[in-house]
Amino acid sequence: MADYKINMSKEKVKMPEQDPNIRNKNFKEVTLGYTLEMAQKEATRCLQCKNAPCMSGCPVSVHIPEFINYLVAGNLENAYDAISFTNNLPAICGRVCPQEVQCEGVCTRGIKSEPVAIGRLERFIADWYMNNSYNKPVEVTSQNAKVAVIGAGPSGLSAAADLAKMGYQVVLFEAFHAAGGVLMYGIPEFRLPKELVQKELKNVIGLGVKLQTNTIVGRTISLNDLFDQGFESIYISTGAGLPSFLGIDGENLNGVYSANEFLTRINLMKAYKFPEYDTPVHIGKKVCIVGGGNVAMDAARSAKRLGADVTIVYRRSFDEMPARIEESHHAMEEGVNFMNLHNPVEILGNDGWVNAVKLEKMNLGQADNSGRRRPIPTGEYEEVKFDSVIVSIGQSPNPLIKQTNDDIKTEDWGGIIVNKDSTMTSKDGVFAGGDAVSGAATVILAMGAGKKAAINIDKYIKEKRNKVKEELN
């Protein structure tokens, strides 16, 4: 263990950021990362607790005190090894995980001061590793068995990496032309650079995983086709890409987007570089974002960077807003407007295009099942001029697997039903996890589901093979 004097500062080392009035006009990363000196100073705030509550708060159980200890000692390679032992995408997690409610949420330092900036330290180590081009070969023992993973998002990538480390021949099937899932099409460039995502992806492919893009399982190929091709097990991680809408008049007008479509155009199809890339995106001068989650903040901040006057319309107050505090804070810094306690009841148009939104003012009542105070209509209305409306009120699991496989049971709302312990679906040999099961959640929870599924798939294949051997004997 590194011998260091604990830094009892009550505040985290401040993260360098672009100036708000500069960054709201570009898509470069907002937060600039720690220097080594800053990272080590922050790392010495760690108490090296013996019971390590931070690890229990991490869905993939990163060895947090261990990597921080190596960081303080200046052994950055070992620090990276300690992180990557359980986390296959550390540079991504260091940027987009909600550490405030996970590892940092249970940090002992957080009782009387700010918790240790675990996410920022993880990001620093992962970035250092990438910048220094360390590529150590991973030794695996071949299991001589094929596993198909459907969906190359966080959950699929995590499962594929762990299965490859176990020695399985893994093929990752992706519907889009680029792997990464929500990391590529959902989270904006200024929060998660796409070049970084592709570098993390290369680390997974480097384990021997084969990537097959432009393949829609359920259309291009079926689950039964995969079994016929010799795959002994399948993991479904198709995410939650089905957008929810408001169900009000005017939603079919030109200028109305789901946040999914808007962010996919901006991120994966690089519409923010139009006409350099031939993907146009019409937003006009005034944009209404409906919703108060992280996706709403991403859409709002993207629209702001495209030059629009952006207003987030949310039916509750700031206290009930589900977005990370950091994201709403950054949005406000960048000049995004907020109209809380308002709810759209009609989208108004002219010649087929949006020109205004009719909003009803809301009050707050008692808490509902979500634990947040319930919005109550007041009967008071106002019309606000807008050129575009971007709806960000949630997503449901991709329905294609459900539509093309009668033997896979799903919830009424679309989530694939799995055995809680084994993560297997109602179809033998087919497992599922991530947002396809839980509905839209966090990147790290999806990764945790992928890790759990990989363990269960390994167990399933070995037990099945042992059973065959016993029958032959």
Side-chain angles (χ1 to χ4, degrees):
M1 178 175 173
D3 183 19
Y4 65 87
K5 183 179 179 181
I6 295 174
N7 171 10
M8 293 306 295
S9 171
K10 290 187 176 183
E11 296 181 351
K12 298 175 180 178
V13 173
K14 188 177 172 74
M15 171 68 90
E17 297 177 350
Q18 283 195 72
D19 181 275
N21 292 320
I22 295 175
R23 72 184 191 229
N24 65 5
K25 299 176 183 65
N26 67 60
F27 278 79
K28 296 177 182 177
E29 193 166 13
V30 168
T31 53
L32 306 177
Y34 281 161
T35 62
L36 175 59
E37 181 182 5
M38 295 166 75
Q40 289 183 316
K41 182 179 179 181
E42 178 62 29
T44 57
R45 295 183 67 237
C46 176
L47 301 176
Q48 291 290 317
C49 305
K50 290 185 178 179
N51 61 339
C54 52
M55 284 185 62
S56 66
C58 175
V60 295
S61 302
V62 167
H63 296 181
I64 296 168
E66 182 182 356
F67 97 72
I68 289 178
N69 186 54
Y70 280 128
L71 170 55
V72 173
N75 193 334
L76 305 188
E77 188 172 351
N78 279 5
Y80 180 82
D81 288 344
I83 296 171
S84 60
F85 183 73
T86 60
N87 186 348
N88 294 305
L89 306 171
I92 291 170
C93 291
R95 286 168 166 82
V96 303
C97 280
Q99 290 96 2
E100 66 274 12
V101 295
Q102 293 177 340
C103 55
E104 295 180 18
V106 291
C107 173
T108 304
R109 286 300 303 268
I111 297 173
K112 294 184 177 181
S113 62
E114 287 190 334
V116 176
I118 298 168
R120 297 175 184 178
L121 298 179
E122 180 180 40
R123 166 183 166 164
F124 170 80
I125 292 297
D127 286 358
W128 172 87
Y129 180 85
M130 283 185 176
N131 293 333
N132 287 276
S133 300
Y134 281 85
N135 286 299
K136 293 186 291 187
V138 178
E139 294 183 8
V140 297
T141 302
S142 176
Q143 303 285 354
N144 194 31
K146 292 169 63 180
V147 179
V149 176
I150 305 170
S155 192
L157 290 171
S158 185
D162 280 4
L163 287 163
K165 290 175 183 177
M166 295 175 190
Y168 289 98
Q169 300 171 42
V170 183
V171 180
L172 193 55
F173 294 92
E174 169 57 42
F176 279 126
H177 61 277
V182 70
L183 306 173
M184 286 296 290
Y185 68 75
I187 303 173
E189 179 79 11
F190 55 81
R191 278 216 297 135
L192 184 63
K194 303 305 167 242
E195 182 180 355
L196 180 145
V197 175
Q198 292 305 306
K199 284 182 178 179
E200 291 275 56
L201 177 64
K202 284 182 180 179
N203 290 335
V204 175
I205 300 302
L207 296 169
V209 175
K210 293 181 179 179
L211 175 63
Q212 186 170 320
T213 58
N214 300 310
T215 304
I216 303 174
V217 176
R219 289 285 184 261
T220 311
I221 193 171
S222 70
L223 296 182
N224 289 334
D225 289 336
L226 293 175
F227 281 124
D228 290 342
Q229 291 179 12
F231 289 97
E232 295 191 38
S233 184
I234 298 170
Y235 179 56
I236 299 173
S237 54
T238 46
L242 182 65
S244 300
F245 283 93
L246 296 161
I248 61 176
D249 288 343
E251 275 191 306
N252 289 326
L253 288 167
N254 293 319
V256 178
Y257 295 90
S258 70
N260 301 55
E261 178 190 357
F262 180 70
L263 289 171
T264 299
R265 283 175 175 266
I266 295 294
N267 298 325
L268 190 62
M269 304 172 76
K270 295 184 174 62
Y272 65 94
K273 290 187 176 182
F274 182 81
E276 181 182 344
Y277 286 80
D278 58 359
T279 306
V281 56
H282 168 85
I283 59 168
K285 294 181 179 179
K286 295 196 68 177
V287 176
C288 171
I289 310 289
V290 183
N294 289 326
V295 176
M297 300 303 146
D298 287 343
R301 296 171 69 195
S302 294
K304 182 69 178 179
R305 282 159 170 76
L306 293 174
D309 178 8
V310 182
T311 300
I312 289 176
V313 173
Y314 181 55
R315 61 183 184 159
R316 291 182 166 100
S317 72
F318 273 114
D319 290 339
E320 287 78 29
M321 195 169 280
R324 294 179 67 186
I325 294 175
E326 179 182 71
E327 299 308 319
S328 57
H329 173 70
H330 278 160
M332 283 186 277
E333 280 188 332
E334 292 166 6
V336 172
N337 307 306
F338 285 79
M339 285 188 71
N340 292 336
L341 294 172
H342 284 78
N343 190 48
V345 293
E346 184 180 2
I347 301 173
L348 307 173
N350 182 36
D351 292 330
W353 289 86
V354 173
N355 70 356
V357 177
K358 184 178 180 180
L359 302 171
E360 183 174 14
K361 295 180 182 180
M362 312 294 281
N363 286 329
L364 291 179
Q366 297 298 314
D368 59 18
N369 293 334
S370 72
R372 296 174 295 167
R373 295 179 66 188
R374 185 189 303 276
I376 300 174
T378 64
E380 297 180 49
Y381 301 92
E382 63 178 305
E383 289 183 11
V384 181
K385 294 291 183 181
F386 288 109
D387 303 308
S388 298
V389 177
I390 300 171
V391 181
S392 179
I393 58 171
Q395 304 97 248
S396 301
N398 188 315
L400 187 56
I401 295 296
K402 174 184 178 180
Q403 293 170 355
T404 57
N405 293 275
D406 294 337
D407 49 355
I408 291 185
K409 295 180 180 179
T410 61
E411 304 282 2
D412 292 340
W413 50 269
I416 298 173
I417 297 173
V418 298
N419 179 285
K420 184 178 179 181
D421 297 320
S422 72
T423 61
M424 192 187 293
T425 68
S426 52
K427 186 178 180 69
D428 185 55
V430 177
F431 298 74
D435 292 0
V437 171
S438 65
T442 63
V443 168
I444 193 67
L445 286 174
M447 289 174 60
K451 292 185 75 67
K452 182 177 181 180
I455 293 170
N456 288 327
I457 289 170
D458 177 52
K459 181 181 178 182
Y460 167 80
I461 291 176
K462 286 178 178 176
E463 288 181 350
K464 186 176 180 180
R465 289 189 164 196
N466 286 336
K467 185 176 180 180
V468 171
K469 286 181 182 178
E470 289 173 4
E471 291 175 352
L472 291 174
N473 292 334

